Amino acid sequence: MRFALDSSRVDFASSLDSMLRDADVPKVSRALAAGDVAPIRTLWKSLSDTGITGLLIGAEFDGSDAEPLDMVVALERMGKWAVPGPVVESLVAVPSLLRCVDTHNPERRRTWLHGLCSGQLIATLAFDPAMPFAIDPAVADLVLSVSADAVSTASIVSVHDSIDPTRKVGEVGVVHDTAEDATGFTGDIRAARAATELLATLGIASQLLGAGQAMLDSSAEYVTSRRQFGRVIGSFQAVKHQLADVMIGLELARPLLYNAALSVAADSPTLQRDVSAAKIACGDAAYRSSRVALQVHGAIGYTSEYDLSLWITKVRALQSAWGTAAVHRQRVLEAL
């Protein structure tokens, strides 16, 4: 079976590329790493103008109510441009969770969903055990804590660095505020957890594939200009083989990712297996792309001042986000 995007989704991806290219995302990333959240809030507003922040939000809250494949296209572009911040958490996980559960304070839930859709509200969450820490809490206006059978608003107890300098992680404490009924979420929490985890894992896989493609493109461009022993290194057979292996890995991962999105949309009985397979394949392909990018760029690839480092560290962080490769391999094994 051949998976290919239709023309409308291709155009959608191109418009995102144009917007993110103009946004100077590496500058935004470095500002966030230095503790300046203003540039990423400006970027978030630009994302809302293109409809990205409302993809998984219903039309009654001014969202697009888009299909999982549309989300995959958007998140792949976010990975391609190494967009920082709680991307999957705010654009995928929290909207999915709020759509699946009710609250004793429906007006506040409505306010949250409108805020997320407009880009005025950025959210993050701790989701035990897949994501025990909240991502980039300094950026977030709303923090949720999701346990096995409860959803609560939360506060940040402490913040720690991660391997990705643009990606801080926060330990959370549950807020018990009976006056505002902060813990008043009702509904099938377990079903909401399952749906949210699947979509978030699919979003992470999309980011990984986009990041892997970006590093391959950067490497392919670099080897045509870097010279060694009087020749451009792209003419060496060993370099060609390594780049070809990366391309094959990415091209084999892409249909697994698209198939997983279709499985989620169709509520297929194999959707959990398909999403885990996509996460494994995209993670492995992106990691190989990062290793080869380091090799072909040489010493400059190891410097934090060079933009390549933004993709390399992000891939390393995303590999374990929303389930490690070992966790997802076990799920595939159990399904088989």
Side-chain angles (χ1 to χ4, degrees):
M1 183 179 293
R2 179 175 180 269
F3 292 97
L5 298 177
D6 58 30
S7 59
S8 64
R9 291 187 171 105
V10 171
D11 292 341
F12 176 46
S14 297
S15 67
L16 282 179
D17 281 335
S18 179
M19 187 274 286
L20 292 171
R21 184 184 298 110
D22 294 339
D24 194 359
V25 176
K27 184 177 179 179
V28 175
S29 296
R30 290 193 165 90
L32 181 58
D36 183 3
V37 301
I40 193 172
R41 289 194 167 277
T42 300
L43 175 59
W44 226 259
K45 187 60 175 68
S46 297
L47 290 172
S48 73
D49 292 340
T50 60
I52 301 304
T53 54
L55 277 177
L56 296 185
I57 296 175
E60 67 271 28
F61 304 108
D62 299 328
S64 305
D65 202 15
E67 297 180 7
L69 188 55
D70 298 307
M71 180 204 76
V72 163
V73 171
L75 270 291
E76 186 179 346
R77 258 44 197 183
M78 302 281 270
K80 176 183 176 182
W81 294 95
V83 174
V87 173
V88 164
E89 291 70 27
S90 190
L91 304 186
V92 179
V94 172
S96 172
L97 192 67
L98 291 178
R99 288 186 64 177
C100 294
V101 297
D102 295 321
T103 176
H104 294 313
N105 192 336
E107 184 56 35
R108 185 172 60 176
R109 174 174 172 267
R110 177 179 295 275
T111 300
W112 283 346
L113 286 169
H114 276 297
L116 289 168
C117 188
S118 68
Q120 298 297 319
L121 183 73
I122 300 177
T124 189
L125 80 169
F127 192 101
D128 189 56
M131 285 293 290
F133 299 101
I135 301 302
D136 290 316
V139 179
D141 309 290
L142 171 64
V143 181
L144 298 180
S145 176
V146 184
S147 64
D149 53 9
V151 179
S152 305
T153 53
S155 62
I156 299 300
V157 176
S158 60
V159 178
H160 308 281
D161 293 333
S162 77
I163 191 171
D164 179 358
T166 72
R167 186 180 173 90
K168 309 292 184 183
V169 295
E171 296 183 54
V172 302
V174 174
V175 174
H176 297 289
D177 187 349
T178 55
E180 291 191 18
D181 202 11
T183 58
F185 290 91
T186 61
D188 191 341
I189 302 298
R190 292 183 182 274
R193 275 180 56 91
T196 298
E197 186 172 0
L198 279 171
L199 281 173
T201 303
L202 189 62
I204 290 291
S206 305
Q207 281 187 284
L208 283 164
L209 185 68
Q213 186 65 55
M215 288 184 289
L216 174 60
D217 294 343
S218 174
S219 298
E221 181 179 358
Y222 186 74
V223 299
T224 62
S225 60
R226 182 185 170 196
R227 303 184 68 86
Q228 198 168 12
F229 308 114
R231 297 167 57 188
V232 292
I233 63 172
S235 65
F236 298 140
Q237 193 172 42
V239 173
K240 292 179 180 179
H241 285 176
Q242 290 210 66
L243 293 177
D245 286 343
V246 171
M247 185 188 72
I248 289 170
L250 293 169
E251 289 304 312
L252 290 177
R254 184 168 282 106
L256 287 175
L257 179 65
Y258 293 169
N259 177 65
L262 296 175
S263 290
V264 172
D267 195 22
S268 166
T270 63
L271 63 87
Q272 188 172 67
R273 180 204 67 187
D274 295 340
V275 170
S276 288
K279 175 65 159 52
I280 295 164
C282 293
D284 288 351
Y287 182 66
R288 168 173 276 187
S289 183
S290 71
R291 299 304 302 173
V292 171
L294 272 178
Q295 288 183 316
V296 302
H297 280 81
I300 194 173
Y302 287 84
T303 62
S304 59
E305 294 81 7
Y306 195 63
D307 286 351
L308 179 65
S309 66
L310 299 173
W311 278 264
I312 290 174
T313 54
K314 187 165 296 295
V315 163
R316 200 66 174 134
L318 293 180
Q319 275 190 296
S320 59
W322 292 93
T324 63
V327 167
H328 289 290
R329 285 192 169 91
Q330 183 62 32
R331 289 178 181 174
V332 172
L333 178 63
E334 290 171 355
L336 295 176

